[in-house]
Amino acid sequence: MRNSAGEVVGFAKVTRDLTQSAQLQRQTEELRAERGRLLVAKNDAEEARRVALDAANHDALTGLLNRRGLQSWIAAQPQLVATLLCLDIDGFKAVNDRGGHAAGDAVLQRVARILRRAARDGDECVRMGGDEFLVVLAGVSETEIALRIAARITAAVGALLPLGATDDTRIGVSIGIGRFAGASSFGQALQDADEQLYEPQERTSSAGSSASVDQRQR
């Protein structure tokens, strides 16, 4: 501070209380940290939900869709036109009886891999339960295509040696075929394919393990 002559006669100091500003900064940082924690918790919860849903819709042994997953997949495509291949492993009981459940589980996993290789992009493979499987050939209405895929599956399963090359146990597969146009007719198509599936099994049960495809269409 200067007088009229320009001489220094004192000093003035301006101060500002930063307490409130520091508190606001600290609160802002705390809010950011809390937001980060909530975001991590949200992502963890979403991942846990996704994993749980995936587990609920897939067979734990083979990784294929299960019945619940199949229902969800069909429901999401109400206009889907497809052909069903309903499969049952012939001679599977002998594998369990002679090789134990571990051998039976291995057969189911190998059959699942065969189905995946036989299926095309857009198709879906399902383990319905036990030794029953389903392949949904999306967009297929031609009998010839379904029969070609069924024949490949039959040949591949028939070539398996479930208990090793030194054991004479063999397996086969019976296949029933059904077609549907729209999700509302899926149940009837599945019933048709299932009925066809068991007819050839009954005819061949007295001859032991077999691989057969019922070519009748409904």
Side-chain angles (χ1 to χ4, degrees), residues 39-170:
L39 184 59
V40 169
K42 177 185 177 183
N43 290 339
D44 288 346
E46 289 178 350
E47 177 63 14
R49 187 162 49 247
R50 186 195 66 77
V51 170
L53 182 61
D54 187 71
N57 288 332
H58 288 80
D59 174 57
L61 179 64
T62 64
L64 302 182
L65 282 183
N66 57 22
R67 285 179 179 268
R68 174 176 172 171
L70 172 65
Q71 292 172 353
S72 298
W73 187 74
I74 292 294
Q77 306 176 83
Q79 304 304 317
L80 178 65
V81 174
T83 294
L84 303 178
L85 301 181
C86 191
L87 306 97
D88 190 75
I89 302 175
D90 302 326
F92 184 69
K93 184 177 184 300
V95 175
N96 273 330
D97 290 344
R98 300 181 65 173
H101 290 296
D105 288 348
V107 165
L108 296 175
Q109 291 170 332
R110 294 170 72 181
V111 170
R113 289 194 290 269
I114 288 172
L115 298 185
R116 286 195 184 98
R117 289 195 295 267
R120 311 154 311 144
D121 291 340
D123 295 341
E124 196 57 77
C125 303
V126 186
R127 184 185 178 196
M128 301 295 283
D131 61 346
E132 297 179 0
F133 293 85
L134 185 72
V135 178
V136 184
L137 304 176
V140 172
S141 58
E142 300 86 354
T143 302
E144 293 77 11
I145 295 176
L147 290 177
R148 282 200 303 270
I149 295 174
R152 287 203 300 269
I153 294 171
T154 300
V157 173
L160 293 177
L161 304 175
L163 299 180
T166 60
D167 189 281
D168 62 358
T169 302
R170 296 293 183 270

Side-chain angles (χ1 to χ4, degrees), residues 188-209:
Q188 183 60 52
L190 183 60
Q191 180 179 333
D192 290 345
D194 191 62
E195 289 176 356
Q196 293 180 34
L197 169 67
Y198 285 101
E199 290 176 5
Q201 278 194 327
E202 291 170 0
R203 292 195 297 269
T204 59
S205 60
S206 60
S209 300

